[in-house]
Amino acid sequence: MTKDEILMKAAIEQAKKAYKIKEAPIGAVVTKDGEIVGTGYNRRETGKNALYHAEIAAIDDACKRLGGWRLWQCELYVTLEPCPMCAGAIINSRIKRVIFGAYDMKAGSCGSIINLFDLPYNHKPEYKGGILQDECSDLLSSFFRELRKKNKLMTV
């Protein structure tokens, strides 16, 4: 297993925490020198806040642990391609590299819909998608399949 796969597994573990509390299972970890320095998972529904994305939580955690907002020596692993808000937070926090699992054809901002990292901002993170893509996609698919089933039962 590669370093990227091992660290994506850590992001998947964060996603499973979201799944357990009936949140869309998206998880993220921030690493520095291969060590996890920030973790986060989606909590938008339970937190009643549009900002509570996995990446934002992991970046916030890393900033607090490292004592600063510049994460230029860090990498972010996330189970789903970042949305525009999270891509902006990645740029603003100066994360050097983003590794994601599943592609997001509805809001992906690292190539699926648009690539915000290619625009002429002051920072351009490196990125790589499709790491453990099947595992990340399957977790999301299972969650939404269960949610549709539950919603269908509630309307009967």
Side-chain angles (χ1 to χ4, degrees):
M1 200 176 282
T2 68
K3 175 191 91 153
D4 285 348
E5 290 170 335
I6 291 166
L7 291 167
M8 185 59 71
K9 287 276 192 189
I12 290 168
E13 289 307 309
Q14 291 297 309
K16 289 177 181 177
K17 291 179 181 180
Y19 200 120
K20 285 180 184 175
I21 61 170
K22 299 183 179 20
E23 291 277 2
I26 303 163
V29 297
V30 174
T31 66
K32 181 180 178 189
D33 302 323
E35 297 295 320
I36 295 172
V37 295
T39 62
Y41 54 91
N42 183 38
R43 295 180 294 111
R44 288 190 306 176
E45 297 299 330
T46 54
K48 308 286 188 238
N49 192 316
L51 302 176
Y52 288 3
H53 286 213
E55 299 95 322
I56 302 295
I59 290 168
D60 182 57
D61 191 28
C63 289
K64 288 174 181 170
R65 286 190 196 187
L66 296 175
W69 64 270
R70 291 177 188 89
L71 302 177
W72 61 276
Q73 296 175 305
C74 296
E75 297 179 323
L76 174 82
Y77 291 81
V78 60
T79 57
L80 182 65
E81 180 180 0
C83 72
M85 176 182 70
C86 293
I90 290 162
I91 291 166
N92 284 319
S93 63
R94 312 293 196 269
I95 288 175
K96 71 176 177 181
R97 185 169 175 252
V98 176
I99 302 88
F100 64 88
Y103 288 86
D104 185 350
M105 303 314 280
K106 294 181 181 178
S109 295
C110 300
S112 290
I113 301 296
I114 192 169
N115 188 343
L116 292 179
F117 298 161
D118 279 347
L119 295 176
Y121 292 114
N122 60 331
H123 179 69
K124 294 185 181 304
E126 297 172 32
Y127 64 96
K128 183 177 182 180
I131 303 300
L132 299 182
Q133 181 175 348
D134 290 344
E135 191 171 344
C136 294
S137 293
D138 289 348
L139 192 58
L140 286 158
S141 295
S142 293
F143 174 80
F144 286 109
R145 189 171 31 257
E146 287 177 20
L147 186 62
R148 283 190 299 275
K149 185 178 177 182
K150 178 184 169 196
N151 288 343
K152 187 176 180 181
L153 289 174
M154 291 177 68
T155 61
V156 173

